[in-house]
Structure formats: C-alpha cells, structure tokens
Amino acid sequence: LTNKSISLENFYFFFDAKRDLQDLTDKICCSAHIDTTQVDINKILLPELRDCKTICIANKKNTDNIYFSGVKVSQLLYFLKLLEYPAEIVQFIEENQFKLDHFLYDVGFDYQAQGTDLRIVKSGYYGIF
C-alpha cells in the first residue's frame, strides 16, 4: 500500500501435507494465473513430493508458487532432474546422497499457465538443518 496504489506482493498459505490435502487442492484451483480445468493439477502438486511435511502456496502478482517443505534427498534429486538443473549439481547430490540423507530440503517453483501447459518461471531449493 502506497500513497498512489495498492498491489499484491506475496500472499502465503501453509498446509499440512497429509492432513490438509483437499484444502491445498482447493487453494491451487482458485488461482488467478491458471485454469485447473485446462492444466493438470498434478503438474503443480507433484505426487512424488506430497509426502513432505508442509506445502505452501504463494499467490504473487504475476505467478503462483508452490513450496514443498521437508523433502528427503531422494525427492530433492527428483525435483532437480525434473526441472533440468545443471548436471554438475545433480551429479554432486547423487554422489553424496548418503552424506546428505540426514537433512531435509525445501523445493519450490513459480508457475503460470501457458495454454494447457504449465510454465515454470523460476525454481529453487535449500537445505534444512
């Protein structure tokens, strides 16, 4: 809120990944940036990452975002490969997976619809110690 305008920055909604799956699905479906009758929701709410601790949906000015919090190193690898992260990063995680498997990770991506396809605008990951 400024003297000249009002704008939406980021609006975050946190869900228990196991308990709140229906509410989470409903939140994804009420997006201003995608039509979930056209885009498969499983491209957003990735089944391979759903068994994490918390899932956050962020509504942003030009995109929405999903964060999967508390994923295992094997899920981090899945995410990195799915989003085609540099081979050096993937290889490092693969080679050191046994050293990294006691940590949990957060992964997420900003998305928009592009027709019936989902466009990933940006993504990120980090470790939780």
Side-chain angles (χ1 to χ4, degrees):
L1 175 63
T2 68
N3 290 336
K4 297 181 181 183
S5 69
I6 296 174
S7 66
L8 176 65
E9 293 293 328
N10 296 332
F11 204 30
Y12 295 90
F13 298 85
F14 294 87
F15 300 91
D16 180 285
K18 292 173 184 61
R19 187 186 66 224
D20 301 329
L21 188 58
Q22 185 58 55
D23 291 338
L24 170 61
T25 301
D26 292 345
K27 180 62 187 150
I28 292 169
C29 291
C30 74
S31 171
H33 300 294
I34 65 164
D35 178 354
T36 53
T37 65
Q38 299 292 314
V39 176
D40 181 2
I41 195 170
N42 289 311
K43 292 181 179 180
I44 300 165
L45 186 55
L46 300 170
E48 298 81 0
L49 302 179
R50 287 184 194 173
D51 69 341
C52 63
K53 293 183 177 222
T54 304
I55 300 175
C56 175
I57 299 296
N59 300 120
K60 300 180 176 186
K61 184 176 181 179
N62 298 312
T63 64
D64 286 327
N65 179 287
I66 188 164
Y67 299 96
F68 299 88
S69 181
V71 302
K72 299 173 224 154
V73 70
S74 60
Q75 294 169 303
L76 170 63
L77 270 171
Y78 168 81
F79 177 83
L80 296 174
K81 290 176 182 178
L82 178 70
L83 296 182
E84 300 177 351
Y85 270 74
E88 298 82 8
I89 294 172
V90 173
Q91 182 179 356
F92 177 85
I93 301 294
E94 286 177 330
E95 290 173 358
N96 293 283
Q97 188 170 354
F98 69 97
K99 294 178 184 175
L100 301 170
D101 67 355
H102 63 288
F103 295 118
L104 294 176
Y105 302 87
D106 285 2
V107 298
F109 55 87
D110 285 13
Y111 59 90
Q112 300 171 321
Q114 193 168 28
T116 58
D117 291 325
L118 190 71
R119 181 172 164 253
I120 305 296
V121 177
K122 68 179 179 176
S123 66
Y125 65 94
Y126 58 93
I128 303 170
F129 303 100

